[in-house]
Amino acid sequence: MSTPIRTAVIGYGFAGKIFHSPFVSAVPGLELSAIVTNSSIPARSPQTAAEAYPKARILSTPEEAFADPNIDLIVVATPNSSHFEIATQALKAGKHVVVDKPLATSAESALALIAGAKSAGLVLAPFHNRRFDIDTLTAKKLVTESTLGRIVSVTAHYDRYRPLVRPNTWKESGGIGSINGILFDLGPHLVDQAISLFGAPTHITASVRADRDVTDIDDAINISLIFVVGGKPIRYDIAASMLASDPAPRLRMHGTLGSYTKQGLDPQEAALLGGKRPPSLNSQDPWLPEPETSWGTLTLGTKLTEPVELSRNPYPSVTGDYRLYYANVRDAINGTAPLAIPAEDGYRVVRLLELARESATQKCTLPITFD
């Protein structure tokens, strides 16, 4: 740990600027050594990156980072279509790699990346940071402690209201059915959160569609996953939309002993967009603990016989923290801990997104197989 893991973030757009650079910088044992950007957009420009991180070298091409023997870890924070190519080059250059979601745009490409990392003895980590959201961490605690009894169903939403197409962004281009729509944008988070709770699902039913009057991408999804845990089925329904001006609860879980409902999104993204940076993980400064007024509601049966009696109380949220993602990557590279989110989970997510598209096209439920 005396020598930090020198890290280059490739891309200084939304992902690199908001979700990667601040957290690499906040984790002891990692060093943000370089940022690759040559954008003419002021918010993503080399000058902006240099002002934000004056100790980091500003590079204009990924190849400069690959060729630098002092760089240990490459973070791929570029558009979806480039993930596979950049990650492949980084692995061939002998670098550990973090890839922003999705790990790749096809299951076949994801498997190729995994094989390349294994043969080189390198860490390949999919950036499924939303496992470290308040709602997911709290749900994990409820499941682990069996607070709700046997879980029977879960509903998870990421709702937005963007009725008009945003200009000049790759996320709103590519055409219906492209890899830039909401299926490959919010879908990876939602699907990964589901498998982090319950493992591999057995069946999938999906609707992937364009709901807005004018749109260049799929802008709404509904995915139903069936898990079997302890011989009993769990239905996990996922939804994301750009036409939800009145959002549904972020998460709702029902079990044999009661229910849990959480409103609102984890506050980390909003804080980061507002210019706040996380403190060092070694500091005593808290990173966005959620106020009690935002806690979810736990409703439990106190008397299960008729007439049923219920208790309804706020349930303390487990504080979300994306620093924990990069702390685990650090530990995995140093060989002191296994990777918390293995590359195989990144593959499973991409495979499930492909099956969701196939289910939507065929208008049917599909069994799930992993190669």
Side-chain angles (χ1 to χ4, degrees):
M1 294 294 291
S2 59
T3 302
I5 297 167
R6 292 155 297 195
T7 305
V9 173
I10 298 181
Y12 198 67
F14 182 74
K17 182 178 182 179
I18 301 301
F19 288 111
H20 292 285
S21 298
F23 292 99
V24 170
S25 298
V27 174
L30 294 181
E31 176 186 283
L32 181 57
S33 301
I35 298 171
V36 177
T37 181
N38 59 7
S39 177
S40 59
I41 299 173
R44 305 175 184 179
S45 69
Q47 180 180 348
T48 301
E51 290 171 354
Y53 299 98
K55 293 183 179 180
R57 291 179 294 118
I58 308 302
L59 309 178
S60 59
T61 68
E63 287 72 22
E64 292 176 75
F66 302 150
D68 187 339
N70 293 316
I71 296 296
D72 308 300
L73 171 64
I74 296 289
V75 176
V76 181
T78 56
N80 293 351
S81 60
S82 63
H83 287 186
F84 175 75
E85 180 181 354
I86 294 176
T88 298
Q89 292 181 51
L91 291 170
K92 288 180 178 179
K95 315 297 186 184
H96 303 287
V97 183
V98 167
V99 185
D100 201 283
K101 53 80 189 170
L103 178 62
T105 55
S106 72
E108 181 181 8
S109 295
L111 288 174
L113 286 178
I114 292 170
K118 285 184 176 179
S119 66
L122 296 167
V123 168
L124 172 66
F127 188 64
H128 292 166
N129 63 311
R130 296 290 185 173
R131 287 199 194 187
F132 296 95
D133 273 2
I134 280 173
D135 43 74
T136 307
L137 292 173
T138 305
K140 189 75 171 180
K141 182 174 186 286
L142 290 166
V143 170
T144 300
E145 297 179 355
S146 299
T147 305
L148 302 178
R150 177 173 57 83
I151 304 298
V152 297
S153 66
V154 181
T155 304
H157 279 249
Y158 275 162
D159 287 337
R160 296 173 172 174
Y161 187 60
R162 289 178 180 159
L164 302 180
V165 174
R166 292 176 298 167
N168 303 319
T169 173
W170 61 266
K171 289 188 177 183
E172 294 262 14
S173 64
I176 304 301
S178 77
I179 56 173
N180 294 339
I182 204 168
L183 180 66
F184 273 80
D185 181 22
L186 299 181
H189 290 316
L190 289 159
V191 168
D192 180 69
Q193 288 166 338
I195 67 174
S196 76
L197 292 174
F198 301 115
T202 62
H203 292 79
I204 186 169
T205 311
S207 169
V208 182
R209 59 196 185 277
D211 280 354
R212 293 179 294 183
D213 290 333
V214 177
T215 184
D216 292 326
I217 57 167
D218 305 312
D219 56 26
I221 57 172
N222 290 84
I223 301 173
S224 180
L225 298 169
I226 301 298
F227 297 85
V228 177
V229 178
K232 296 287 189 177
I234 299 172
R235 179 178 175 127
Y236 197 115
D237 290 317
I238 287 166
S241 172
M242 290 189 179
L243 286 179
S245 58
D246 185 14
R250 165 66 191 95
L251 186 73
R252 178 167 282 160
M253 304 178 70
H254 298 301
T256 54
L257 299 181
S259 301
Y260 171 74
T261 301
K262 180 69 174 72
Q263 302 282 350
L265 297 173
D266 184 286
Q268 292 182 85
E269 180 175 344
L272 293 161
L273 287 169
K276 189 169 184 176
R277 280 198 199 171
S280 169
L281 194 55
N282 278 354
S283 76
Q284 299 302 311
D285 298 328
W287 171 236
L288 298 180
E290 190 173 52
E292 185 174 347
T293 53
S294 297
W295 288 354
T297 301
L298 182 65
T299 304
L300 295 177
T302 56
K303 177 186 172 187
L304 302 184
T305 57
E306 292 295 337
V308 172
E309 295 179 2
L310 301 172
S311 68
R312 184 173 286 106
N313 296 290
Y315 185 78
S317 293
V318 179
T319 300
D321 194 341
Y322 300 153
R323 294 175 302 179
L324 300 178
Y325 172 88
Y326 269 110
N328 174 253
V329 170
R330 173 202 64 198
D331 294 345
I333 291 173
N334 286 327
T336 61
L339 200 59
I341 307 172
E344 288 77 9
D345 281 1
Y347 154 71
R348 293 185 186 100
V349 167
V350 175
R351 172 66 175 153
L352 289 170
L353 297 178
E354 287 183 334
L355 288 171
R357 179 86 70 191
E358 186 178 342
S359 169
T361 300
Q362 297 185 14
K363 296 181 172 57
C364 68
T365 298
L366 297 175
I368 294 169
T369 59
F370 296 107
D371 297 332

